[in-house]
């Protein structure tokens, strides 16, 4: 293609990069006509309101990346993007993610940080390939119980929210390697957290804790712990503070 940011394959647009193109206003419904699109990237502009529901026609889309816009709403039709692997929606004004997104069995990377979210999709744990969840810097007050069904989840970043408790169900995340809960008003943890032997890194900075629970030090694969009390690379032979 001779158009900047446009990739054409077999006379059809397959990739579209609209980042930093000075766009403004609402996205047009004709976006849904690009049915061979596998990659869509936009942001750093004045796009407002919502993604058009016609995006549900982009059933070959594998990467959706939207950042630094004023988009508030995501249509339920997002749940029709059955080939989607990378869902990157960060540093926008987005207030909610529709529950239909949990229909997407191939989504592996789910980045929704830096928005205005007060909750995550209630059935987010039904996403069968969810590996990496970045939901920090929002307005979350809790995590949905269903999240703890996510058997493939290995990275969970929910720092800088308003979460005040973590349920015992967290122990069900038996593949989790990195847990970042920093900058949340959490005062205590369930003892079940001590059963999460897959954890390698735990971040507990600027919380309401009076001390780090002793059972955290029993995690056999833990190599990094950060909190006010302890900021260390840990060894189970010798712990230095």
């Amino acid at each position: 293609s001779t158009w900047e940011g446009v990739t054409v394959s077999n006379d059809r647009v397959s990739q579209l990069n609209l980042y930093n193109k000075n766009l403004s206003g609402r996205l047009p419904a004709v976006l849904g006509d690009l049915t061979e699109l596998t990659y869509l990237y936009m942001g750093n502009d004045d796009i407002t309101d919502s993604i058009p529901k016609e995006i549900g026609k982009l059933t070959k889309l594998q990467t959706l990346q939207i950042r630094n816009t004023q988009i508030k709403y995501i249509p339920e039709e997002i749940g029709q993007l059955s080939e989607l692997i990378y869902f990157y929606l960060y540093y926008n004004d987005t207030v909610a993610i529709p529950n239909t997104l949990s229909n997407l069995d191939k989504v592996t990377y789910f980045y929704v940080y830096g928005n205005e979210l007060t909750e995550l999709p209630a059935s987010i744990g039904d996403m069968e390939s969810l590996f990496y969840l970045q939901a920090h810097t929002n307005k979350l007050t809790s995590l949905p119980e269903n999240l703890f069904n996510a058997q493939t989840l290995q990275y969970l970043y929910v720092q800088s929210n308003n979460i005040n408790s973590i349920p015992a169900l967290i122990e069900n995340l038996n593949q989790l390697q990195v847990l970042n809960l920093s900058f949340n008003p959490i005062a205590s943890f369930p003892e079940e957290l001590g059963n999460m032997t897959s954890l390698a890194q735990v971040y507990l900075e600027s919380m309401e804790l009076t001390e780090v629970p002793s059972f955290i030090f029993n995690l056999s694969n833990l190599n990094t712990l950060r909190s006010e009390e302890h900021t260390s690379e840990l060894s189970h032979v010798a712990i230095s503070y």
Side-chain angles (χ1 to χ4, degrees):
S1 169
T2 57
W3 297 330
E4 183 182 358
V6 179
T7 301
V8 175
S9 303
N10 299 321
D11 297 323
R12 297 292 303 275
V13 176
S14 60
Q15 298 187 27
L16 192 57
N17 185 342
L18 301 174
Y19 185 75
N20 207 23
K21 296 291 193 293
N22 296 314
L23 302 178
S24 62
R26 299 185 64 174
L27 290 170
V30 293
L31 182 65
D33 294 341
L34 302 176
T35 54
E36 295 297 311
L37 210 59
T38 62
Y39 176 92
L40 176 59
Y41 180 25
M42 65 184 77
N44 203 30
D45 50 37
D46 293 322
I47 298 173
T48 59
D49 196 45
S50 63
I51 297 174
K53 67 181 188 305
E54 287 79 8
I55 197 171
K57 298 178 182 179
L58 306 183
T59 55
K60 295 185 179 181
L61 198 66
Q62 296 177 9
T63 300
L64 176 61
Q65 183 166 349
I66 302 174
R67 66 170 180 163
N68 291 79
T69 75
Q70 298 173 40
I71 288 175
K72 289 187 176 182
Y73 306 106
I74 309 300
E76 290 191 356
E77 287 77 7
I78 201 87
Q80 298 170 18
L81 306 182
S82 56
E83 295 300 311
L84 198 66
I85 299 171
Y86 304 96
F87 183 77
Y88 298 147
L89 183 79
Y90 52 94
Y91 293 128
N92 299 290
D93 292 337
T94 308
V95 297
I97 306 291
N99 217 30
T100 53
L101 198 73
S102 58
N103 297 337
L104 304 183
D105 293 339
K106 295 185 179 181
V107 169
T108 306
Y109 294 87
F110 189 84
Y111 289 14
V112 291
Y113 58 86
N115 287 294
E116 300 291 325
L117 302 177
T118 57
E119 61 184 8
L120 293 173
S123 57
I124 190 172
D126 294 342
M127 299 170 74
E128 293 182 358
S129 301
L130 185 62
F131 175 77
Y132 208 119
L133 174 57
Q134 285 259 24
H136 64 80
T137 320
N138 278 288
K139 297 179 178 179
L140 305 177
T141 57
S142 64
L143 298 174
E145 284 192 5
N146 179 270
L147 172 63
F148 305 109
N149 295 334
Q151 294 300 300
T152 55
L153 188 64
Q154 293 191 26
Y155 297 85
L156 178 58
Y157 292 85
V158 289
Q159 68 270 28
S160 300
N161 279 287
N162 297 315
I163 299 167
N164 55 30
S165 66
I166 298 296
L169 287 170
I170 194 170
E171 71 172 329
N172 293 341
L173 299 178
N174 54 29
Q175 301 295 317
L176 198 67
Q177 296 185 25
V178 178
L179 176 63
N180 194 330
L181 297 170
S182 296
F183 302 98
N184 281 291
I186 298 172
S188 63
F189 289 100
E191 290 189 6
E192 287 80 1
L193 186 63
N195 298 331
M196 300 179 67
T197 55
S198 60
L199 276 175
Q201 299 178 29
V202 177
Y203 300 89
L204 307 174
E205 299 175 276
S206 293
M207 306 178 76
E208 301 292 328
L209 297 173
T210 55
E211 62 181 6
V212 175
S214 59
F215 53 76
I216 286 183
F217 296 102
N218 296 329
L219 296 172
S220 56
N221 288 305
L222 191 68
N223 59 54
T224 303
L225 171 64
R226 293 189 182 176
S227 71
E228 270 64 42
E229 292 77 18
H230 305 286
T231 300
S232 313
E233 299 300 313
L234 299 182
S235 163
H236 286 279
V237 177
I239 300 177
S240 58
Y241 304 118

